[in-house]
Amino acid sequence: MNKLYSRLFVIPAILLYTFFFIVPVVGGFYYSFTDWNMMRPNIQFVGLDNYKEIFSSSGPYMKSIIHTFSFTFFTVIFKVLIGLFLAILLNEGLKTRNLLRMVFFVPYTLSPLIIGIIFVSILGPHGPINVILEFIGLGYFTHSWLTDKSVVLASTMGVEVWRMVGWNMVILLAGLQTISKSYYEAASLDGANKWQQFISITLPFLTPALTIAIILNTIHGLRVFEIIYALTNGGPGNLTEVINTQIFKEFSAGRYGMSNALGIIAFLITLMIAFVMKKVVADEEADA
């Protein structure tokens, strides 16, 4: 009786989860096989037509998927590496380390839309970046960073790395502070230099924190939307189009069937990668 009574409290949560998550997902999955469009009064079942159009190599949708993977891959690498460098630097006995930790973490607390609006000015043809490059005699490096097709995707990646590197620093700094100093003292007595200590002590003990950072950054990269929307809105052309900006544009244009199909693909890609990473982590923990 007591078990039954306690389980009754779970029912409201299950109902809410079903209504606000399960039902929309199932509905979106169904509508992804239709031509639901605000311009047509009737919804017709079209099978895999939406998915065929998405995975057409000549269409804009496949390019947005490729851009999403590229954005995720490169931003994860730089966010984690720079975050690790800052974490190691600020784990030392610097007098200003608490102030620097706050300075590096502040960008993460700001809205991506606000950051995007600010960087539209900073990265403009006459923005501070180009002015500084001209001033120090590196004028040949100047670009219209958000409209030049050769650098625009890299520019959006740079803004994302700048925004998230402090968050990675905090996670990795927490991992570093769990490593006992006695390991480094013993290694120094054995004649190990800083690089050898980093490879033999820091990296093995920091693996759990690095794994968490990589997984969360990967999921975040696959779901990127706000920073791209604020900086370029997927342009120029579709050079910075990612899955979520494409979903937004399709929905805004009233192509609800296609929008749902893209949403399902984004959901499945994220779910699959999260599952693979979870399995890799579980295997590593089992081996340990």
Side-chain angles (χ1 to χ4, degrees), residues 142-209:
T142 60
H143 289 279
S144 183
W145 299 95
L146 298 178
T147 56
D148 188 333
K149 63 180 182 180
S150 65
V151 296
V152 62
L153 186 58
S155 298
T156 61
M157 293 178 187
V159 176
E160 173 68 5
V161 170
W162 177 84
R163 186 177 79 89
M164 292 292 294
V165 73
W167 179 83
N168 285 272
M169 176 200 71
V170 169
I171 290 179
L172 299 176
L173 187 59
L176 285 173
Q177 292 178 344
T178 64
I179 305 174
S180 174
K181 298 293 184 184
S182 61
Y183 294 114
Y184 296 101
E185 293 170 0
S188 296
L189 292 174
D190 289 337
N193 57 36
K194 290 291 185 181
W195 176 250
Q196 291 170 330
Q197 292 176 27
F198 174 77
I199 296 297
S200 302
I201 300 173
T202 305
L203 276 183
F205 280 100
L206 201 59
T207 297

Side-chain angles (χ1 to χ4, degrees), residues 69 211 214-215 218-219 222 268-284:
F69 278 110
T211 303
I214 291 171
I215 291 174
T218 299
I219 293 172
L222 292 171
L268 291 177
I269 289 173
T270 306
L271 186 66
M272 182 173 58
I273 291 179
F275 176 79
V276 170
M277 288 188 165
K278 181 181 178 182
K279 183 167 176 47
V280 170
V281 172
D283 290 342
E284 288 180 353

Side-chain angles (χ1 to χ4, degrees), residues 12-110:
I14 293 175
L15 291 174
L16 287 172
Y17 182 78
T18 301
F19 183 76
F20 287 107
F21 182 78
I22 301 297
V23 172
V25 168
V26 173
F29 186 76
Y30 167 75
Y31 286 118
S32 71
F33 295 102
T34 70
D35 65 348
W36 185 16
N37 192 313
M38 67 180 296
M39 303 303 293
R40 299 192 189 98
N42 299 320
I43 300 175
Q44 296 181 353
F45 186 81
V46 295
L48 296 174
D49 286 359
N50 289 331
Y51 292 96
K52 290 177 181 177
E53 186 177 349
I54 289 170
F55 289 107
S56 170
S57 59
S58 60
Y61 307 113
M62 193 62 196
K63 291 179 181 177
S64 70
I65 294 173
I66 293 171
H67 292 159
T68 303
F69 278 110
S70 298
F71 184 94
T72 302
F73 178 77
F74 289 107
T75 55
V76 168
I77 290 175
F78 284 103
K79 284 188 284 191
V80 173
L81 287 180
I82 298 173
L84 177 60
F85 172 78
L86 293 176
I88 293 172
L89 182 66
L90 298 182
N91 195 41
E92 302 297 327
L94 298 175
K95 291 183 180 180
T96 58
R97 62 180 179 179
N98 291 330
L99 175 63
L100 290 172
R101 289 173 186 174
M102 182 190 71
V103 169
F104 287 122
F105 186 73
V106 163
Y108 175 70
T109 65
L110 301 177

